[in-house]
Every structure is written in C-alpha cells, then in structure tokens.
Amino acid sequence: MVHLKYFRGLLISDHYAPSLSWNEEFKAYIAPAYRYYQVLEYFRQGGIEVKDEVMDPIPFPLVKDSLKLRDYQERAMKAWMAKKRGVLVLPTGAGKTALGIKAIANLRVATLVVVPTIELLHQWGDRIRESLGVEPGIVGGGEENIQGITVITYDSAYTKVEKLGNRFPLVIFDEVHHLPSTGYINIGELMASPYRMGLTATPEREDGRHVLLREVVGPILIRLSPSQLAGKYLAEFKVEKIYVELTPEEREIYEKLRNRFTSFLRKRKIRMAGPRDFQRFIFMAGRDKEAREALLAWNESLRLAVNSESKLIKLREILKERANEKIIIFTRDVDMAYRVSREFLVPAVTYLTSKDERQDILSKFKNGDYKVIVASNVFDEGVDVPDASVGIVLGGYGTSRQMMQRLGRILRKKEGKVATLIEIVTKGTTDHNLSRRRSSATK
DNA sequence: TTGACTCAACATCCTTTGCTACAA
DNA sequence: TTGTAGGTTTCCATGTTGAGTCA
C-alpha cells in the first residue's frame, strides 16, 4: 500500500512514481503538489492500493443552481466537464464568470477562485451570492474570511498557498494569463487541487511563459473570438485604421533618435531578432553608458511617434464628426492622457486618479453626463467600464491582449448598434510596428 | 475606517542593417 | 550550399496594482 500526504505545497509519497523524486530530509519521495492527480492516476492504473491523505477539503455549502448558459457557454462547459482541467478562451463580455459559477454548481466541492484585482474580487463575490445563494469567503483587500467557496487575489494566494493548497478540490484562475509569471506560478504548482479551470480572453504572453499553463492548469479546450460572437451575443463591430505623418520637425528629431539607437547596434554588431535580444540589450544598458544612451534614445523616439501632433489634429476631426456618440480615448502614457484631457476638456482616468474620482467619472460617463473620456492603460483588465460605442486608440502596447480588452469595452450588445474601434497610427515609425503586432486581436 | 504613503511584483520592450558554427 | 541555431543575466524607464504600515 502507498501512503500519500500533503505538506506545505508538497506531495509526499512513501513509494516511487514518475515525477516524484527522493528527498533525504523527508525520507520520502516528493513533488510539487500539483502532481497529485497524475501520481494518484499512476498508482490506480497499476492496481496499487493508496492511503490518500492529501486533500482536507473545507465543507461545501448548500447552493442553488439557477444559472442558464448560452449555447456557446454550454459547449465550453461540456468540454471542460469531460476532463475537469483546462483553459477556456472567451472574449471580454462573453460571460466567463458564468462558466466558473456553473463549474462550482456542477462539481459541488470546495472551490478557490483566484483573481488579479480587488474589483474582480467583489464582482465574483456578488455573482456567487446572486447565482449560488451563498456568502462566499473573501481573501484580499484587507479581508480574510475563508469559506467553502472563497475568492482570493493572486497576491494573497501567493502568500497563503502552502496553507490553503489542499483545502480546495477545485481551483478557478480568472485572467489565467497572470498565472505563469515567476511568482504566481507557485500558486498553481503548490496547490493539490485535482480540478482546475483557467479563464481568459488572451492566454498568450509576451514572455512565452503561457506554455506552462498546459502543465499546471490543462490544455486550451475552447477558443472563441469576438467576431464569432458578434451579432447575436456581442455588438457588430468594425475596426478602422487611420494613418498620419510626423510633422517635419518631429521627423527630424525622430530620425536623429533612431539613428542613435541603430548606429549603436551596428557598431556593437548586435542583432535584434526577437524579444530576448532586446532583453539582453536592456541588461547591457545597466552597465554600459553607450548602451544606456541608445536605449533612452529608443524610448524617446517611441514616445514621439506614439504621441505625434497629427494624431491630435485627427482626433479633433473625429470628435467633431461623432459629436453624439459615447467615446473612450485610449493612450499609451499618462502625459498624453492629461494632454488630451486639457486640450479637449474631457475627464482623464489614469493610475494617478484617486479611487473616488475614478468612480465619479465612470458613473457620470455611464449616465451620459460625460460623452467622452480619456484613459491610459487603466481599463486593460478587471475594471467594469460603462459601455461606449466608439473607441479611439491613440497609443498602446503591441499586444493583442490590450487590443482585445479595449475592443471589449465597446462590444456590449444593444439593438441596432455597430461599434467602431478607430486606431490612429503614425506611418513610418515604431508606432506602425506596434499597431501591426496588436492587430491580430481584432480578426 | 480613511487616506497617504512605501514597497514589491508584474508588464511592456523587436523585424535589421546579418556575426559564426554546425547540421542537413 | 543552404538553413538555422547559437549565447548569461538580475532591469534603461514607465505604467499599474495589491499589501502593509502608520497617523
């Protein structure tokens, strides 16, 4: 007979199985706790009797199950129920939370829901109360109350995972693309939970670490894009790109800055073939004065291209044409957001905006007191932004994730609505490259 | 309870102009 | 001849958030 135990994020076995390794200190075979279901499966298939003391689940409350799923949600749920592990990829606004709630109602085991922000902590709490009729535990944002269904932030989960790792047979990772980062991955690895669900609109990460999700959460089971749901469940939408030029003065400065960057690369025979090369260049800038100057020049050239003068002229035209529509303007940096705010007399929301003021601006935008607002990168995730019909992208990252989130802000379904996402791009600059890289999101 | 603060963690960051060694 | 892989580490700056501390 084999004896399996859990100890502070570790699976401990007195017999060998693949993925376990001998540990002298414990005088036993050990592995990170997420290997539990594989190891158990291995012993069971071998017909070996197991004394399983790994899980110590919190009692599960009595819940109601009143939730009705849409047809594509049913498909996603069916795919997940077949394995009870894996990632579901659905666009913003397509009802990912409902899938998590349904999984809890189906499995009826203690569940930990991990979320990136306090706002999502409360949104999930409300949905659980509403759909399952129970009071959820909340950990994070100053609260610490653990129940059979508990919502927790990634930050809190990271510090408490060793203690909580064997108390929840089901774990749901909302915005699961956060999980593979170097710290948070511990949450996935040190939990023993055999049942796992990951929810996101965009699993891919710039650092490539999303490949870890397959091992820690499971494979991608379903993937739906905004265009697949447009019309019936999300608003019809179109994406427009408008190209502008740098002014001659801007062009002169831009070329000078670019030249400082490229001539450094040429001189040092540095090849920029991918993100790793750029990363190395950044490390180099930490020690090498010339490299540092080259990098600063590159940063400055990017800022110039993304925030070009012509974009503001074009913005003025668009705002005039669409005077009666609800519009969100997106910028890449805080300075540009406040510049737009000053020149067009519209409220700005950035990370510097206080919580109360942000709340106030968003509620006035919702009820129509404000027709136009400008935001930096703050609406990228986990913020409940009132619906708009037009999004104007003045600047952003080169990631499809950000583009997808921004698109999601205008896709709420309304009768007869056609949403428009307008991107203003500076031709012949890095801004154009960024735009090309992110545009796969809207296909 | 709140607000102001600090700190830590996470994310972005590339596409040119082609070095050398080795495998197919 | 052609194609492709090769090569660490501790981070230029800016943006964003959660947690913790203290008044």
Side-chain angles (χ1 to χ4, degrees), chain A residues 146-403:
Chain A
I146 294 165
Q147 299 292 331
I149 304 171
T150 294
V151 193
I152 190 170
T153 59
Y154 278 89
D155 275 296
S156 292
Y158 175 65
T159 57
K160 297 177 203 304
V161 63
E162 290 181 2
K163 209 173 69 187
L164 299 177
N166 66 337
R167 312 296 316 270
F168 299 94
L170 171 60
V171 57
I172 298 172
F173 297 103
D174 194 17
E175 309 290 1
V176 70
H177 50 270
H178 287 283
L179 188 66
S181 64
T182 48
Y184 294 160
I185 191 69
N186 283 298
I187 305 167
E189 288 178 345
L190 302 185
M191 290 197 73
S193 318
Y195 311 128
R196 294 166 181 238
M197 176 183 274
L199 300 169
T200 180
T202 45
E204 286 76 21
R205 296 166 55 94
E206 292 300 297
D207 61 8
R209 288 176 63 98
H210 50 270
V211 296
L212 300 175
L213 286 176
R214 196 185 172 83
E215 178 86 0
V216 175
V217 182
I220 291 174
L221 301 170
I222 193 168
R223 178 164 207 146
L224 295 172
S225 68
S227 34
Q228 283 172 289
L229 300 180
K232 192 166 176 196
Y233 297 107
L234 298 175
E236 297 278 3
F237 68 95
K238 54 185 184 201
V239 177
E240 286 174 20
K241 277 196 193 194
I242 297 174
Y243 293 96
V244 297
E245 303 269 2
L246 291 174
T247 64
E249 301 79 52
E250 283 173 335
R251 174 58 71 181
E252 198 189 325
I253 301 169
Y254 179 81
E255 293 303 339
K256 215 177 265 175
L257 291 165
R258 281 296 289 186
N259 193 38
R260 203 174 300 165
F261 169 64
T262 52
S263 60
F264 173 80
L265 296 186
R266 234 188 340 262
K267 186 172 155 197
R268 300 291 185 90
K269 295 188 167 36
I270 295 168
R271 195 182 50 131
M272 281 289 165
R276 287 182 57 170
D277 293 320
F278 198 78
Q279 198 59 50
R280 268 211 327 276
F281 173 47
I282 290 171
F283 289 142
M284 197 189 278
R287 295 184 297 265
D288 182 329
K289 188 158 173 271
E290 234 178 314
R292 185 164 183 274
E293 278 166 7
L295 185 49
L296 290 179
W298 180 85
N299 276 333
E300 191 52 40
S301 74
L302 180 65
R303 203 179 1 252
L304 186 70
V306 171
N307 299 330
S308 67
E309 209 57 47
S310 320
K311 286 193 179 183
L312 291 178
I313 294 169
K314 188 48 83 177
L315 176 64
R316 194 174 295 281
E317 285 171 26
I318 297 170
L319 292 181
K320 213 171 184 182
E321 277 165 26
R322 297 177 174 269
N324 290 318
E325 300 197 65
K326 267 182 139 178
I327 301 174
I328 304 177
I329 302 163
F330 299 101
T331 70
R332 183 185 161 106
D333 44 60
V334 171
D335 282 352
M336 187 64 163
Y338 288 119
R339 192 169 159 201
V340 169
S341 173
R342 277 193 310 272
E343 289 196 21
F344 297 86
L345 301 175
V346 295
V349 184
T350 72
Y351 75 100
L352 298 169
T353 313
S354 74
K355 213 186 265 179
D356 289 349
E357 195 186 349
R358 182 193 292 200
Q359 205 53 57
D360 183 55
I361 291 171
L362 288 180
S363 77
K364 283 183 175 149
F365 185 62
K366 187 174 186 177
N367 69 29
D369 288 348
Y370 294 145
K371 285 278 188 195
V372 182
I373 56 174
V374 57
S376 49
N377 300 315
V378 282
F379 294 162
D380 283 3
E381 195 172 280
V383 184
D384 193 14
V385 180
D387 186 42
S389 57
V390 180
I392 302 173
V393 177
L394 285 185
Y397 303 139
T399 64
S400 55
R401 168 163 321 121
Q402 186 184 54
M403 202 57 178

Side-chain angles (χ1 to χ4, degrees), chain A residues 89 91-92 177 200-206 210 223 226 380-381 393 396-408 421 423 433-443:
Chain A
V89 181
T92 315
H177 50 270
T200 180
T202 45
E204 286 76 21
R205 296 166 55 94
E206 292 300 297
H210 50 270
R223 178 164 207 146
D380 283 3
E381 195 172 280
V393 177
Y397 303 139
T399 64
S400 55
R401 168 163 321 121
Q402 186 184 54
M403 202 57 178
M404 185 84 106
Q405 294 292 348
R406 289 174 164 186
L407 180 65
L421 189 68
E423 216 188 322
N433 293 336
L434 291 175
S435 163
R436 235 191 327 243
R437 269 170 47 206
R438 65 182 166 238
S439 63
S440 63
T442 54
K443 296 269 156 54

